[in-house]
Amino acid sequence: MVEMSLKELFEIGQSFESSVGEGTKGERARIFKNNSRLNLTDEMISFIESIDYEVNFLVSGEIWCPDFQLNATVLKRFLDLNPNFNMSVITMARGKKFMAPALGIDKESFKGPSIAVLDKDFNVLGLFEERPKVVRDMPSFDDIKLDYYKGKYLLDTVNDFIKILGSDLN
């Protein structure tokens, strides 16, 4: 079986902008709308701007997926705030075939988007799977689905990434 390292996957991925460019007009509009709903606190901005080491986000996801539209938009804001952050997007098919085994995840339980947070040497710092932890931990996703898709949990995604990067602003 052919294998690919996380570094190889990162190198063949595409930029966030290129992956968004493959979407429909409506899908692209949701990226803009989600970005406008993302109101970071001053503490969050300060922490994100303070990261003085390279961080690579390897995203396995697709623009048509609402979870990608929400959570990858958060990472785009990180990139806009700090040049030490890099993002590469690969397809879900490539993620299931190559990223899942590289991360030790069963292909059948691989969720999209899956986002590996990597250091400059492509060592895993943490993993974000599909939705923020607070949403995954809800007893019933159906009870909060509408709020989730309206971006009401975007700051929870920010907090999940901030925790992976070594801080707990709560």
Side-chain angles (χ1 to χ4, degrees):
M1 178 177 145
V2 176
E3 293 182 5
M4 292 185 78
S5 70
L6 294 174
K7 181 179 182 189
E8 290 170 320
L9 288 167
F10 191 89
E11 289 171 347
I12 62 165
Q14 59 186 177
S15 70
F16 177 74
E17 293 81 6
S18 293
S19 67
V20 168
E22 294 178 355
T24 66
K25 184 177 180 181
E27 291 163 348
R28 292 190 311 269
R30 284 192 285 284
I31 297 295
F32 178 78
K33 185 177 270 188
N34 292 331
N35 190 48
S36 71
R37 292 173 170 156
L38 184 55
N39 297 311
L40 301 177
T41 66
D42 290 343
E43 279 183 312
M44 289 172 168
I45 292 170
S46 292
F47 176 77
I48 294 165
E49 290 177 338
S50 76
I51 298 294
D52 61 356
Y53 52 90
E54 184 178 331
V55 177
N56 297 304
F57 297 104
L58 176 59
V59 180
S60 176
E62 311 273 348
I63 183 60
W64 55 261
C65 172
D67 295 307
F68 176 91
Q69 294 166 7
L70 289 161
N71 300 307
T73 298
V74 168
L75 288 183
K76 175 62 171 111
R77 181 70 65 86
F78 277 49
L79 271 67
D80 291 344
L81 290 170
N82 189 326
N84 289 314
F85 294 120
N86 307 298
M87 183 181 354
S88 181
V89 180
I90 60 172
T91 63
M92 278 302 297
R94 189 164 268 154
K96 278 188 178 195
K97 184 171 183 178
F98 299 111
M99 187 173 164
L103 294 170
I105 299 171
D106 178 58
K107 291 179 186 180
E108 300 310 311
S109 59
F110 190 76
K111 302 200 181 312
S114 283
I115 302 168
V117 183
L118 310 165
D119 69 12
K120 68 179 176 66
D121 297 316
F122 297 91
N123 297 305
V124 179
L125 301 174
L127 181 65
F128 179 95
E129 294 181 274
E130 188 179 27
R131 299 181 178 130
K133 183 175 181 342
V134 70
V135 172
R136 289 193 325 268
D137 290 347
M138 292 279 177
S140 171
F141 179 66
D142 287 339
D143 292 345
I144 57 112
K145 185 183 339 188
L146 191 57
D147 284 341
Y148 173 73
Y149 290 131
K150 286 184 176 181
K152 299 225 166 116
Y153 292 88
L154 288 171
L155 292 182
D156 294 295
T157 297
V158 173
N159 282 323
D160 283 2
F161 285 116
I162 285 174
K163 285 178 186 167
I164 291 170
L165 295 170
S167 183
D168 190 352
L169 298 178
N170 294 332

